[in-house]
Amino acid sequence: MPKRSEEMLMDLWLSLLLVWITCVLSVSMTPIIGQSKSTQTGGSAVVASGVGEGQRLLSRAKRGWVWNQMFVLEEFSGPDPILVGRLHTDKVDNDTARYSLAGEGAGTIFAINEKTGDIHAMKRLDREEKAEYTLTAKVTNGITGQLLEPMTEFIIKVQDINDNAPKFTEGPYHAAVEEMSAVGTSVITVTATDADDPVYGNSAKLVYSILEGQPYFSVDPNSATIRIALHGMDREMREDYQVVIQAKDMGGHMGGLSGTTTVSITLQDINDNPPKFSKSLYEFVIPEDLPLGKEGGKVKANDRDIGENAKSTYSIIEGDDQGVFEIITNATTQEGILQLRKPLDYESKRNYTLKVEATNIRSEPRSNGPFKDTATVKIVVEDSDEPPVFSKPMYLLEVDENAPINKIIGTVTARDPDATGSPIRYFIDRHTDLERQFNINVDNGRITLAKPLDRETDMWHNITVTATEVRNHSQISRAVVAIRVMDINDNAPEFATEYEAFLCENGKPGQVIQTVSAVDKDDPIQGHYFDYRLVPEMLNNPNFTIKNNQDNSISVLAKHDTFRRQKQEMYFLPIIVTDNGNPPMSSTNTLTIRVCGCSKDGIVQSCNVEAYVLPIGLSMGALIAILACIILLLVIVVLFVTLRRHKNEPLIIKDDEDVRENIIRYDDEGGGEEDTEAFDIATLQNPDGINGYLPRKDIKPDLQFMPRAGQHSDSVVECLAVFWVLVIYCDYQ
């Protein structure tokens, strides 16, 4: 306490001493400083000083302007204007010299006595608003107005006082630091500013201290860096802190001004807490018919950490050797969900005891583990009414095609896995047996044949058999029964296709006419082997023979080269094909052989008999065209003869029976008996004319119905032209 009193007394004396020095400098030291900075001008001198009128001036070597920097204390608030300094010249008598100012603040802030040269500050000044003013001094003769000295600039500086407190311009502050950080760990640096002059005195010298936040944090007095001050700060105990920092000028001494700011500091989480199960023992009752993947129970391990540091994974480490259960993590709730991987069976095992472990996903090197916890889970399996269970999931049965009706194909069996052991009834799902080809015994599951089967129609039949409990019809199970129809030799072989062979007239004996193969719808296990032979009545066939190619095919050969189309155009060769089944099946197939005309290279050109008698160079199409033109010519001739016959018939009918009176009424006046042009009696007797044409009197009757000259000859020429065009086109085709 005495030491603290001594420090306070020392601060008081230092403050008084600083005020005294400031006043002395503003009054006494001004002329001395001014004289040290004198400038040489003409033959006279003007002295700018801050001394009183009775003081003695120091000697100087030359006359002229003697000016200096004047100082004025800021924030001066006395009753009278404060004297800043004085301007003086000895070139003329002081009674005639007149002084004036120009520049910044002249006449408003600063005023000069024109006779004495005294400069006064008329207003209260603030260095933080303006630190200095530049003025121009002017001295003239009061009588003549003549400029006595050249105008010269000088500066009035505003002296600083400690009138501004430190300020934290960026506050309030927010910072974060990891929990459990070491003592001395830097948290944040705060900075304050002081508007006072930093080069004059200690007005802007700041010292930092902590007002609130101890003993958790400390602050460096010079750099203002906040650091951890307490070991083992735990976020789970306290997360947020409010720290108040003070900045004080005058070097922190008494009388200095101060400012404060608040720093909000949050401790960041690290993974320093392991997960912990809320209970050490969990018990669940799970029905045995719980579907796979469905929830059977939940466990939860809590972690005091937050975010990623609180996330855990769950696993089963004991008690599940058969892999019946699995446990997954719910990412939202961080719970462990117990599920089934395999079906439960109450009759085989009724309870389980599992050991479950929760482990943090992230580990923290600075914290000591282990970051895990374990709990025991007891599971009791609850009995449920289960559906029947087939002895096999799928049955494969075989039956011969053409088997008799009611033949037993096979048997399916199912049992009730429950302890009660309900009887089972069997049925066929008719959606899988639409034709009702199979039946099943409802009591023993024996499947029988209801309709004949043909392997060549359907080789496989897939049906579904259901098993139902007698005591609970809702408990149904299904099994697939695949029935394979076995082959028997019930189809005879036959030609692979309808063959039509061609034989050249100029062929050689032994020439291969056609290669023949056979197919069989049956599918014997040992494969197909076909035997070919001619029918018995054709064994001594003088024209053709067959040769076995040892690949289930034969070649038909010609025995001679005297085949002619004029003699016989087509031959039929019956061949018997027999398979190797039990019993063997055979069929007779006929090969058609045509005799054709071929080129020297053996290329077939024509296989028709009529082509043999056609003129060389004319085809059948050309012959048809010729015949059509001949018929057309005959038709034209008949029409021509008919027209000639009609031309020779008389135009006036002489039949007496057809004589009748014809009366024609008209209004024109006749010309009398001598007028022969008025009417024609032949026209009146036959008003329709001959064949619809009226005869003309100016043309002889014999010439009215005669064809024009050259009419028939033109028709014949056109017909002949068409004829030859058709002949050329058909022959080209």
Side-chain angles (χ1 to χ4, degrees):
M1 187 66 185
K3 185 176 180 179
R4 180 62 178 171
S5 300
E6 292 178 2
E7 291 179 354
M8 295 176 61
L9 183 62
M10 183 64 67
D11 292 341
L12 179 61
W13 280 109
L14 288 174
S15 300
L16 294 175
L17 180 62
L18 181 63
V19 172
W20 181 81
I21 290 173
T22 302
C23 294
V24 170
L25 287 175
S26 64
V27 177
S28 302
M29 294 182 65
T30 301
I32 299 175
I33 297 173
Q35 293 176 12
S36 65
K37 297 181 180 180
S38 298
T39 58
Q40 303 297 328
T41 60
S44 61
V46 177
V47 179
S49 66
V51 298
E53 290 185 355
Q55 291 182 318
R56 182 176 57 87
L57 299 177
L58 296 178
S59 62
R60 54 190 178 276
K62 294 182 180 181
R63 293 180 298 170
W65 280 107
V66 179
W67 65 278
N68 64 333
Q69 291 183 348
M70 298 184 182
F71 297 89
V72 59
L73 196 66
E74 70 169 335
E75 303 294 346
F76 181 79
S77 58
D80 299 323
I82 182 173
L83 178 64
V84 178
R86 175 179 298 173
L87 297 178
H88 178 71
T89 182
D90 56 358
K91 189 173 182 179
V92 295
D93 188 11
N94 290 333
D95 294 337
T96 61
R98 297 293 183 266
Y99 301 93
S100 61
L101 290 177
E104 296 178 335
T108 56
I109 299 176
F110 301 103
I112 187 170
N113 189 318
E114 63 177 4
K115 294 182 178 181
T116 63
D118 293 338
I119 300 174
H120 292 83
M122 307 302 294
K123 294 183 178 181
R124 184 176 178 179
L125 302 179
D126 187 357
R127 189 200 69 85
E128 286 72 37
E129 292 183 1
K130 190 171 180 62
E132 61 182 29
Y133 297 86
T134 301
L135 300 172
T136 301
K138 180 180 178 182
V139 57
T140 59
N141 190 311
I143 299 174
T144 64
Q146 183 181 0
L147 187 66
L148 300 179
E149 296 288 346
M151 294 186 295
T152 306
E153 289 185 351
F154 67 97
I155 297 174
I156 298 178
K157 288 191 174 182
V158 182
Q159 278 187 325
D160 182 53
I161 65 172
N162 189 22
D163 60 341
N164 291 280
K167 293 181 179 180
F168 292 91
T169 58
E170 298 180 1
Y173 298 87
H174 298 274
V177 64
E178 289 185 347
E179 63 174 331
M180 299 297 177
S181 296
V183 174
T185 301
S186 175
V187 179
I188 189 176
T189 298
V190 296
T191 304
T193 58
D194 196 318
D196 293 325
D197 191 354
V199 298
Y200 182 77
N202 293 326
S203 298
K205 184 178 181 180
L206 305 180
V207 175
Y208 298 91
S209 61
I210 184 169
L211 301 182
E212 294 182 15
Q214 295 175 328
Y216 308 105
F217 300 95
S218 64
V219 65
D220 187 284
N222 298 316
S223 64
T225 300
I226 301 175
R227 302 180 184 275
I228 296 291
L230 184 64
H231 175 74
M233 296 180 66
D234 191 359
R235 185 201 66 83
E236 286 73 34
M237 299 297 296
R238 182 178 176 182
E239 184 174 4
D240 298 314
Y241 295 85
Q242 297 290 327
V243 178
V244 178
I245 301 297
Q246 174 184 267
K248 188 174 183 180
D249 59 13
M250 298 298 293
H253 295 294
M254 182 176 292
L257 303 178
S258 63
T260 60
T261 188
T262 301
V263 182
S264 299
I265 300 176
T266 301
L267 295 183
Q268 292 179 332
D269 183 61
I270 65 172
N271 190 19
D272 58 342
N273 293 281
K276 185 69 175 178
F277 281 103
S278 57
K279 297 189 295 184
S280 60
L281 176 63
Y282 294 85
E283 294 181 345
F284 302 109
V285 177
I286 301 178
E288 64 172 334
D289 58 353
L290 180 70
L292 301 183
K294 293 296 183 179
E295 178 184 326
K298 294 188 294 187
V299 298
K300 178 68 179 294
N302 299 311
D303 196 319
R304 297 177 63 192
D305 296 320
I306 59 175
E308 293 293 325
N309 297 323
K311 292 183 177 181
S312 301
T313 59
Y314 298 87
S315 60
I316 300 173
I317 59 176
E318 290 182 13
D320 188 25
D321 299 334
Q322 297 180 353
V324 178
F325 301 93
E326 66 177 352
I327 189 168
I328 62 173
T329 304
N330 187 314
T332 304
T333 63
Q334 285 297 303
E335 294 175 320
I337 309 300
L338 192 65
Q339 297 178 347
L340 291 181
R341 296 178 60 189
K342 296 180 180 179
L344 296 175
D345 187 6
Y346 173 83
E347 288 71 27
S348 60
K349 191 170 184 178
R350 302 186 179 183
N351 54 72
Y352 296 85
T353 301
L354 309 178
K355 190 174 184 180
V356 178
E357 182 180 74
T359 307
N360 274 153
I361 296 177
R362 298 179 61 180
S363 60
E364 180 61 46
R366 291 175 294 178
S367 302
N368 297 324
F371 291 93
K372 61 180 66 175
D373 192 21
T374 59
T376 301
V377 178
K378 289 188 176 182
I379 299 173
V380 176
V381 180
E382 183 180 42
D383 187 24
S384 301
D385 190 5
E386 300 176 85
V389 178
F390 281 95
S391 59
K392 297 179 183 179
M394 180 177 179
Y395 293 85
L396 178 60
L397 305 179
E398 295 180 350
V399 60
D400 292 335
E401 64 175 330
N402 298 331
I405 304 300
N406 295 327
K407 178 179 176 59
I408 298 175
I409 302 175
T411 303
V412 297
T413 57
R415 64 176 182 85
D416 184 6
D418 298 323
T420 56
S422 173
I424 306 299
R425 295 291 182 265
Y426 302 92
F427 303 93
I428 293 178
D429 186 353
R430 292 304 176 182
H431 292 90
T432 61
D433 184 26
L434 297 176
E435 297 182 3
R436 296 184 176 270
Q437 294 177 302
F438 306 97
N439 291 325
I440 190 170
N441 189 300
V442 295
D443 296 321
N444 55 27
R446 186 175 297 165
I447 300 175
T448 58
L449 188 63
K451 291 182 180 180
L453 302 177
D454 185 6
R455 190 200 68 85
E456 286 71 36
T457 302
D458 288 308
M459 184 181 298
W460 287 93
H461 297 270
N462 295 319
I463 63 174
T464 300
V465 176
T466 61
T468 307
E469 291 184 7
V470 174
R471 298 173 184 171
N472 187 356
H473 295 292
S474 63
Q475 297 297 333
I476 302 174
S477 295
R478 289 174 172 81
V480 176
V481 179
I483 302 174
R484 179 181 180 183
V485 182
M486 304 303 294
D487 183 49
I488 63 172
N489 194 27
D490 58 345
N491 291 279
E494 56 187 13
F495 279 174
T497 184
E498 292 186 4
Y499 295 101
E500 185 176 9
F502 299 94
L503 173 63
C504 292
E505 289 181 316
N506 57 353
K508 298 178 181 180
Q511 178 183 355
V512 176
I513 302 172
Q514 181 70 48
T515 299
V516 177
S517 62
V519 293
D520 194 332
K521 294 181 181 179
D522 294 323
D523 187 18
I525 299 176
Q526 68 276 16
H528 289 293
Y529 176 78
F530 301 125
D531 177 65
Y532 300 86
R533 68 181 186 275
L534 299 176
V535 295
E537 57 270 20
M538 298 291 290
L539 291 177
N540 297 322
N541 190 320
N543 298 318
F544 307 100
T545 184
I546 61 175
K547 183 184 72 173
N548 194 335
N549 295 328
Q550 304 301 323
D551 60 354
N552 275 345
S553 68
I554 60 171
S555 297
V556 180
L557 310 177
K559 285 187 175 183
H560 57 83
D561 59 353
T562 59
F563 295 97
R564 295 294 181 268
R565 283 179 288 174
Q566 301 90 328
K567 181 180 178 181
Q568 185 172 346
E569 179 186 5
M570 190 177 300
Y571 294 87
F572 299 98
L573 184 63
I575 300 174
I576 300 175
V577 185
T578 306
D579 61 18
N580 59 336
N582 186 19
M585 302 291 291
S586 63
S587 66
T588 301
N589 301 266
T590 301
L591 176 64
T592 302
I593 303 173
R594 290 180 176 273
V595 180
C596 302
C598 302
S599 65
K600 294 180 180 180
D601 298 331
I603 300 175
V604 176
Q605 292 183 338
S606 177
C607 297
N608 297 325
V609 177
E610 58 273 15
Y612 185 78
V613 299
L614 290 177
I616 297 175
L618 294 179
S619 63
M620 179 62 67
L623 184 61
I624 294 173
I626 293 172
L627 182 60
C629 287
I630 292 173
I631 295 173
L632 181 61
L633 286 174
L634 292 175
V635 172
I636 293 174
V637 171
V638 171
L639 290 175
F640 177 73
V641 173
T642 303
L643 290 175
R644 293 290 297 177
R645 185 166 60 91
H646 281 285
K647 182 192 70 171
N648 295 328
E649 291 180 355
L651 299 179
I652 300 176
I653 301 174
K654 300 299 184 177
D655 191 356
D656 295 336
E657 298 178 355
D658 193 34
V659 177
R660 59 186 179 274
E661 184 178 4
N662 294 283
I663 300 175
I664 297 177
R665 182 183 181 87
Y666 57 95
D667 296 330
D668 294 338
E669 182 177 356
E673 296 180 354
E674 296 180 357
D675 188 2
T676 59
E677 300 296 331
F679 62 91
D680 191 347
I681 191 61
T683 302
L684 296 177
Q685 293 177 349
N686 187 13
D688 294 333
I690 299 176
N691 295 330
Y693 295 93
L694 295 176
R696 298 178 56 185
K697 297 189 65 177
D698 58 342
I699 301 177
K700 293 182 179 181
D702 294 341
L703 300 179
Q704 291 190 36
F705 301 100
M706 290 182 63
R708 293 189 306 270
Q711 180 178 358
H712 297 296
S713 60
D714 291 342
S715 300
V716 173
V717 171
E718 291 175 359
C719 181
L720 290 176
V722 173
F723 160 71
W724 284 114
V725 169
L726 291 175
V727 169
I728 294 172
Y729 172 77
C730 294
D731 187 57
Y732 174 76
Q733 294 293 328

